[in-house]
């Protein structure tokens, strides 16, 4: 069947589709609130019908009928395989090595995919305080790979985070190994302007694609660290089928689709 | 080990008076959008509790109100926000930025492991989580604070595993003075049944020295003992039982009622500003004498009908959530 | 009400009654198979109606209608408060410090109440192998106090066990503290000949009482270590009420009452 | 992570062939009088498995038969017996006394903690249990054995807690190659529901690399997902599902059937002697082709009727037990 690309779609929809496409069939996905939920539900309704959605609050492999507003939302109970709690999911699923892909976001993301969800400025006298790690630090440490979702602004993409809440590649290819992390690391950053991936050798982020309507140069200008855009091409747009499922099945209540992210 | 039946069932006001001294280390149950013991939180605020040391994983408005009302001295946590309803707890943010409280950050798994270790009766637990993060390096508590009771002597310790050589972080356990959870059903003796995910309630209760359970229903002894494997906390661990229907509002209680998006959005609007937060506290906490009166204030039967959970789904599928 | 002592009772019945009497009302009791079950059920039906019986297999505060033949017997499920598993009971109940009294037995018991349930002879080349610790070592380490039940034979009461499976006072009053044990220690040994208790100062076992029909000297002769019998008096016999409850309510099937112990 | 539905449901013979290579580290579920995967044990014996490394807490006849049949090289355990039915596993005792197997003793809690640590994905767990016992001092495995895969490099390590100064024992975790449990109900995809106590099955399954579930009933997907909080193992952890009604005989399966005292007493009588044990194996294991044939041998419908559990109690109250 020929792919029919959608003509009208919002930035949120484009990002949700990009997130969904990072999930492969049969994978076990650690999903957080917002875009990761949209992406996971979309994936489950398109190319990855057998992907298993895990929420840190306890629900494993639920069949969502209504989009949750929280990882602890009662909607995550629907038709789940098991529903325990944080300790069981974090330890026997995540730390035991069963999560194929986890989603992350945060206030700052740096060149090595490290994330700050804690504070701007000194930790003990912060200029701005954020909610803190939540499960983000755990997903970053213990998923087999992670996908980061972010609003693309210069101040949000510094060379180095003020505080590393969720380690990415830390300081390069050997960073995680030196820290003692058993596996994992970020694979992509899906932003409001494009998709960043990590150089195999240096583990620094480079621009893999820019979204329709944006140029690679614009992405570079809006990035606080030096961004390699030499390999960038245009992001593959959402298909009509993806947008239809997203709107009609995933988020018909418009819980996230019409709200700005963060 | 005196466990007299009649003594355990009591009012909110009695339970707070009896079990929450100023300065207590307190852990509150629930997670993100569900089962925070809010009626108990309101009563602690009304009784003007001081210098509480809160330990938890991902609290939301429960901690935020306590912090905003000036009840809190110190927190150990992973996250304080209401996710889609409010991406940061406004009073927590301000209290930290103004230096009004002491805080220490771990990850969700980190905190839940510390509490689980407390429940297991061990002094620490090893983990791979947080390795490579600044949670290993940046410390919130001062050396003075580290000497206090119920505060771990170190934030954590890095170690090479003596069996495998791999690096692990040892996290100190937590055994709160009191854990307060909100469950669906408790029997008059204290056996607790929770529907849906348990979150961290099991570990938080078992870690604590004393346990208070607020609940939707108190049932007779026999009712919960037909399927003991569905109960999570043995009766003898529970010190106080308080029946407070809708006691988790504005949060959800699986199979009973859904969260209240309207109230949660309102809270996050008002709590950002000192003056409007004060008005909110006056209206919903200080200005009401009972949880029943509070429920009237938030919309009474009409609101509660909207939140009522569908029997099959356990939530309110038609609830307007935006 | 005046106590009416029973005239006819077996040794097993006498021991079951002695075990029951060690349990106080409202206590939390870690019970093993056999005499501890008889004793706990009897206590629950007489002076300690609010005692809580805990089985390591998971059942907490069951209301037994039929005597279990094993701690994992389905009979232990009846009307329990909770029923989880070994890890939960051992860690959150026993190690967390909630067990007031635990019962123990074994193949050898020495002067300090240490128990051997593992082997006779060298551990790596044993002359006789026993089943091993089971929960016994755990109960010995982590109950607030323990009661030991034993067949009284000279070879079973050596000065020192071949192997310490379940530590008693180890080597004296400071033994447990030096080993790092947080609390606990044996309070009494109920045997087929009498009841031994531990000297407050030395923590060595002495004879507190000899059963009707046995003399203190006979107990001494049948003990492998030097036994102080200077404080011994006759064991208080079972009452008629106790024997009646034991026979009619606790073990009407004669699961344990007519069988020899060990 | 391929998890095709149809592939998981298979016969005993296929499951043993596919998942139990000689030399595998295997953990068997159940505890004392209940839910040992006996049908699976018989099939392992029939397939003449060799050099198995068994890890468990308190096994009974399951291990005893495997040891007696010569399938076992090495065991890590706390206890091997059938309590009131037999105070020592006769084949285990003889194998140890004759030096035919390698063994390492921990306490029940010790083993269950090691398995729980494996399930949690941590390399060790601290505990106070076993302090002061000879389990700390006497080691069964040789230095050579300690170098093998799946064998911990040390039995345990003593350490002073860096937070409290108290002495703790660090126990190495266990992650068996395969865990086999016998559950009451499994859905065709692998979601497991156990009635009654879970014993160590939850931790044993979650610790293992592969999981096999034998069960009384296999049900359709939807049937177990109405109350996900009553299920203990998520479907994706289960690699094989084998339907074997009465598959735990002579042990009990709560709410389905009771233990079989007659058979258990017979086993302990016969297993004490090499010759009569061989006859027993020939009669009940080698000499039958299926579990159905075995059930005929042990008394067929008449016996099974006696063992059938009362609906309310979950066991057979009128069973003759002496």
């Amino acid at each position: 069947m020929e792919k029919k690309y959608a003509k009208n779609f919002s930035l949120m929809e484009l990002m949700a589709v990009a997130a969904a496409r990072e999930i492969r069939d049969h994978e076990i996905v650690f999903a957080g609130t917002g875009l990761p939920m949209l992406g996971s539900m979309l994936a489950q309704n398109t190319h990855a019908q057998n992907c298993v959605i895990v929420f840190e609050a306890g629900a494993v492999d639920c069949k969502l009928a209504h989009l949750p507003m929280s990882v602890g939302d009662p909607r995550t109970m629907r038709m789940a395989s098991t529903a325990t709690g944080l300790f069981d999911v974090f330890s026997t699923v995540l730390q035991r090595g069963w999560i194929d892909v986890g989603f992350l976001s945060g206030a700052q993301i740096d060149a090595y995919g490290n994330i700050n969800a804690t504070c701007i400025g000194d930790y003990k006298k912060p200029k701005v305080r954020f909610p803190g790690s939540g499960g983000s630090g755990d997903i970053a440490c213990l998923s087999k790979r992670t996908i980061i979702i972010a609003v693309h602004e210069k101040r949000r993409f510094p060379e180095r985070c003020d505080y590393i809440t969720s380690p990415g590649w830390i300081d390069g290819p050997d960073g995680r190994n030196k820290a003692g992390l058993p596996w994992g690391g970020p694979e992509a950053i899906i932003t409001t302007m494009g998709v960043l991936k990590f150089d195999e050798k240096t583990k620094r982020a480079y621009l893999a694609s820019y979204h329709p309507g944006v140029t690679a140069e614009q992405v570079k200008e809006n990035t606080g660290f030096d961004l390699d855009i030499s390999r960038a091409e245009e992001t593959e747009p959402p298909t009509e089928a993806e947008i239809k499922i997203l709107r009609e099945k995933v988020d018909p209540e418009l819980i996230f689709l019409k709200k700005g992210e963060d | 080990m005196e466990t007299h039946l009649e003594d355990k069932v009591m009012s909110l006001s009695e339970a707070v008076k009896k079990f929450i001294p100023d300065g207590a280390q307190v852990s509150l149950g629930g997670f993100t959008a569900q089962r925070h013991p809010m009626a108990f939180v309101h009563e602690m605020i009304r009784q003007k509790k001081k210098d509480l040391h809160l330990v938890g994983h991902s609290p939301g408005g429960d901690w935020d109100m306590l912090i905003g009302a000036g009840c809190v001295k110190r927190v150990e946590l992973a996250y304080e926000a209401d996710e889609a309803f409010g991406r940061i707890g406004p009073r927590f943010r301000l209290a930290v930025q103004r230096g009004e409280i002491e805080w220490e950050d771990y990850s969700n798994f980190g905190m839940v492991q510390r509490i689980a270790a407390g429940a297991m009766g061990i002094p620490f637990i090893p983990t791979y989580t947080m390795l490579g993060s600044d949670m290993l390096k940046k410390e919130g508590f001062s050396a003075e604070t580290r000497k206090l009771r119920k505060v771990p002597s170190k934030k954590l310790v890095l170690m090479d595993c003596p069996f495998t050589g791999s690096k692990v972080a040892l996290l100190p356990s937590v055994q709160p003075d009191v854990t307060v959870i909100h469950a669906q059903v408790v029997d008059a003796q204290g056996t607790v049944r929770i529907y849906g995910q348990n979150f961290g309630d099991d570990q938080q209760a078992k870690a604590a020295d004393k346990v208070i359970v607020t609940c939707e229903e108190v049932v007779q002894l026999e009712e919960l003992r037909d399927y003991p494997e569905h109960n999570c906390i043995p009766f003898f661990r529970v010190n106080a039982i308080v029946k407070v229907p809708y006691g988790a509002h504005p949060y959800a209680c699986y199979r009973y009622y859904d969260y209240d998006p309207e109230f949660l959005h309102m809270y996050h609007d008002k709590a950002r500003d000192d003056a409007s937060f004060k008005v909110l506290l006056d209206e919903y906490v200080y200005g009401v004498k009972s949880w029943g009166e509070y429920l009237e204030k938030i919309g009474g039967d009409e609101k509660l009908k909207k939140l009522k959970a569908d029997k099959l789904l356990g939530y309110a599928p038609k609830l307007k959530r935006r």
Side-chain angles (χ1 to χ4, degrees), chain B residues 175-190:
Chain B
Q175 296 186 330
D177 289 317
V178 191
T179 284
V180 187
I181 64 170
H182 186 76
Q184 283 91 348
V185 190
V186 184
D187 77 20
Q189 210 178 10

Side-chain angles (χ1 to χ4, degrees), chain A residues 93-240:
Chain A
V93 182
L94 180 63
Q95 189 167 247
R96 185 69 180 83
W98 284 96
I99 296 297
D100 295 305
V101 56
F103 285 92
L104 298 165
S105 63
Q108 291 183 319
I109 293 125
D110 71 21
Y112 290 99
N114 302 305
I115 296 173
N116 178 5
T118 305
C119 60
I120 298 294
D122 180 49
Y123 175 66
K124 294 196 74 168
K125 286 193 197 307
K127 269 206 296 222
V128 186
R129 171 71 204 202
F130 303 118
S133 163
S136 172
D138 307 309
I139 298 168
C141 286
L142 298 169
S143 300
K144 291 294 168 78
R145 70 178 201 282
T146 52
I147 308 297
I148 303 166
I149 290 171
V151 176
H152 213 127
E153 293 173 15
K154 195 163 191 151
R155 63 182 179 111
R156 288 171 177 267
F157 281 88
E159 174 63 31
R160 192 83 191 151
C161 286
D162 285 36
Y163 183 105
I164 299 183
T165 311
S166 308
W169 296 107
I170 305 180
D171 57 3
D174 200 35
R176 293 179 72 88
N177 186 37
K178 279 186 296 180
L181 290 168
W183 51 62
E187 182 163 280
I189 311 174
I190 299 169
T191 81
T192 44
M193 300 188 83
V195 176
L196 282 61
K197 300 221 160 170
F198 295 88
D199 184 83
E200 286 234 342
K201 278 194 191 151
T202 65
K203 293 298 181 190
R204 273 184 73 96
Y206 69 89
L207 188 66
S209 76
Y210 43 87
H211 296 331
V214 186
T215 65
E217 286 70 23
Q218 282 174 320
V219 182
K220 192 179 171 73
E221 277 164 31
N222 282 282
T223 305
F225 57 83
D226 187 30
L227 185 69
D228 170 12
I229 58 170
S230 66
R231 287 168 269 183
E233 42 191 55
E234 195 176 76
T235 309
E236 187 188 349
T239 65
E240 280 184 4

Side-chain angles (χ1 to χ4, degrees), chain B residues 45-318:
Chain B
I45 295 172
R46 262 192 300 271
Q47 290 192 23
K48 297 194 177 4
K49 291 297 160 187
K50 289 276 166 247
D51 296 333
L52 298 179
H53 175 172
L54 301 179
V55 286
H57 30 82
S58 284
D62 48 345
W63 282 31
D64 211 57
M65 285 184 97
L66 281 168
I67 291 168
C71 303
V72 179
K73 168 95 176 177
R74 186 178 304 122
V75 297
E76 297 180 62
L77 83 169
Y79 176 92
E80 210 270 52
D82 282 317
E83 292 189 294
F85 302 109
R87 285 167 184 278
I88 172 79
R91 305 314 304 176
F92 165 69
R93 164 175 271 178
L94 288 171
V96 167
Q97 291 174 184
R98 291 167 180 170
E100 291 168 351
I101 59 171
E102 300 171 39
W103 65 93
E104 194 71 272
D105 278 274
Y106 294 83
S107 68
N108 248 356
F109 184 25
M111 283 307 298
V112 134
Q113 270 173 302
R114 295 183 57 202
I115 293 164
M120 293 175 206
I122 53 180
F124 63 87
I125 189 163
T127 185
Y128 298 115
T129 206
M130 299 193 289
L131 292 177
S133 84
D134 280 340
M135 289 182 274
L136 298 192
K137 296 174 195 161
K138 308 275 171 102
E139 206 168 326
F141 288 169
S142 67
E144 282 311 300
T145 295
R146 290 251 164 252
K147 289 176 194 153
L148 302 175
R149 72 180 275 281
K150 295 278 178 186
V151 178
S153 60
K154 300 181 180 95
K155 183 176 181 182
L156 49 80
V157 169
L158 282 177
M159 177 186 175
D160 290 332
C161 169
F163 302 98
T164 64
S166 60
K167 204 171 279 183
V168 287
L170 308 184
L171 308 181
S173 68
V174 179
Q175 296 186 330
D177 289 317
V178 191
T179 284
V180 187
I181 64 170
H182 186 76
Q184 283 91 348
V185 190
V186 184
D187 77 20
Q189 210 178 10
T191 295
V192 177
R193 183 168 293 179
I194 286 174
Y195 298 124
Q197 307 105 311
N198 193 292
F199 306 126
D201 286 16
D202 188 338
Q203 289 84 19
Q204 284 168 266
K206 288 171 180 175
D209 296 333
K210 304 267 183 202
V211 178
I212 299 170
V213 185
T214 68
C215 60
E216 296 297 318
E217 295 188 59
V218 178
V219 298
Q220 291 306 304
L221 180 60
E222 281 71 22
E223 287 189 43
L224 298 182
R225 291 197 174 214
D226 50 349
Y227 282 88
E229 67 263 56
H230 297 167
N231 304 330
C232 61
I233 302 165
F235 84 95
F236 69 82
R237 294 301 319 272
V238 173
N239 300 86
I241 301 161
V242 185
K243 182 177 169 175
V244 203
Y246 290 95
H249 180 275
Y251 298 101
C253 188
Y254 182 63
R255 292 197 186 275
Y256 282 72
Y257 47 91
D258 216 324
Y259 42 72
D260 184 349
E262 197 184 6
F263 189 95
L264 283 163
H265 288 307
M266 182 277 287
Y267 177 83
H268 279 270
D269 279 352
K270 299 272 168 83
R272 269 186 213 109
D273 173 79
D274 291 354
S276 60
F277 179 69
K278 199 183 162 301
V279 172
L280 181 150
L281 275 192
D282 282 342
E283 182 166 0
Y284 291 100
V285 185
Y286 296 121
V288 296
K289 277 183 229 77
S290 70
W291 195 246
E293 207 176 301
Y294 165 84
L295 293 177
E296 281 307 316
K297 247 192 174 93
I298 58 113
D301 285 346
E302 200 185 329
K303 165 61 71 73
L304 300 183
K305 209 176 144 195
K306 281 182 199 157
L307 302 183
K308 199 169 162 41
D310 174 86
K311 273 203 174 159
L312 216 63
L313 291 166
Y315 55 88
K318 288 178 183 159

